[in-house]
Amino acid sequence: NAGVTQTPKFQVLKTGQSMTLQCAQDMNHEYMSWYRQDPGMGLRLIHYSVGAGITDQGEVPNGYNVSRSTTEDFPLRLLSAAPSQTSVYFCASTRGRAYNEQFFGPGTRLTVL
Amino acid sequence: DQQVKQNSPSLSVQEGRISILNCDYTNSMFDYFLWYKKYPAEGPTFLISISSIKDKNEDGRFTVFLNKSAKHLSLHIVPSQPGDSAVYFCASGAGNMLTFGGGTRLMVKP
């Protein structure tokens, strides 16, 4: 099992550009989530999904879109990048619900200039 | 307004001694609690969890204590090892959402 994979590992964007961060898992997990990690702020939930076709907003959803067309994939879209979105982004998945052990990907470090 | 707080940004402990990491939360609706460990340039990994119906859970060297009346949980690591040096995040949740604290950097000195 590859677990949770994320691409790219690093990305630099200019303000106003859009991009998609990819996340995939091969564990047949129902629950998937996206977090951003900023210094001193811990991880903050952006969006989550409890199954294919179902998504919901987390704590900091503004400026981000998600979709869940398959169980395996949960891409995160930045619509119009802003410097405030400079962060490290982590995708995670788990069987069932968020209170179970979540498996995290290695992260994507995004810089918006 | 942070609902989950780890008030100690860092902690230094001698190898073999006990490490105690603390976490406070404000939302009384939280009914499950977890600890994650994170090494640099890696994603967090799950350590241990506890539900609100318990006040203690053990897994090897790791024990989590929950004091619901004080809205406080702690992670004890005994004995501490140099490989335990990492950032530790507590997380609290209700429903489908998990809220993380800001993290505590633990340094275990040989």
Side-chain angles (χ1 to χ4, degrees), chain B residues 29-103:
Chain B
M29 298 299 291
F30 288 149
D31 57 4
Y32 55 92
F33 307 88
L34 306 93
W35 285 92
Y36 283 83
K37 178 168 75 172
K38 186 182 181 303
Y39 294 117
E42 294 182 10
T45 55
F46 171 78
L47 260 182
I48 192 169
S49 65
I50 188 169
S51 74
S52 59
I53 63 172
K54 293 186 174 182
D55 55 17
K56 177 182 175 181
N57 189 26
E58 286 182 82
D59 184 1
R61 297 186 296 115
F62 302 92
T63 303
V64 56
F65 295 92
L66 175 63
N67 183 332
K68 290 187 291 293
S69 61
K71 294 190 177 67
H72 177 83
L73 65 153
S74 61
L75 175 69
H76 293 206
I77 306 173
V78 184
S80 301
Q81 300 173 355
D84 296 330
S85 297
V87 177
Y88 289 78
F89 293 99
C90 66
S92 306
N96 286 315
M97 291 182 56
L98 206 54
T99 301
F100 281 79

Side-chain angles (χ1 to χ4, degrees), chain A residues 31 35 37 40-45 48 50 57-59 90 96-107, chain B residues 1-3 31-32 34 36 38 41-47 49 87 89 95-103:
Chain A
Y31 184 96
Y35 295 88
Q37 184 192 7
M41 300 290 291
L43 288 87
R44 291 183 291 170
L45 182 64
Y48 65 94
V50 298
Q57 296 182 350
E59 184 184 351
F90 291 100
R97 292 295 184 260
Y99 50 75
N100 292 328
E101 171 187 357
Q102 291 196 47
F103 294 84
F104 282 81
Chain B
D1 181 30
Q2 286 188 297
Q3 297 188 70
D31 57 4
Y32 55 92
L34 306 93
Y36 283 83
K38 186 182 181 303
E42 294 182 10
T45 55
F46 171 78
L47 260 182
S49 65
V87 177
F89 293 99
N96 286 315
M97 291 182 56
L98 206 54
T99 301
F100 281 79

Side-chain angles (χ1 to χ4, degrees), chain A residues 19-35:
Chain A
M19 80 158 296
T20 299
L21 307 185
Q22 301 292 343
C23 174
Q25 53 93 8
D26 60 359
M27 297 172 281
N28 203 31
H29 285 167
E30 299 90 348
Y31 184 96
M32 296 186 74
S33 55
W34 275 102
Y35 295 88

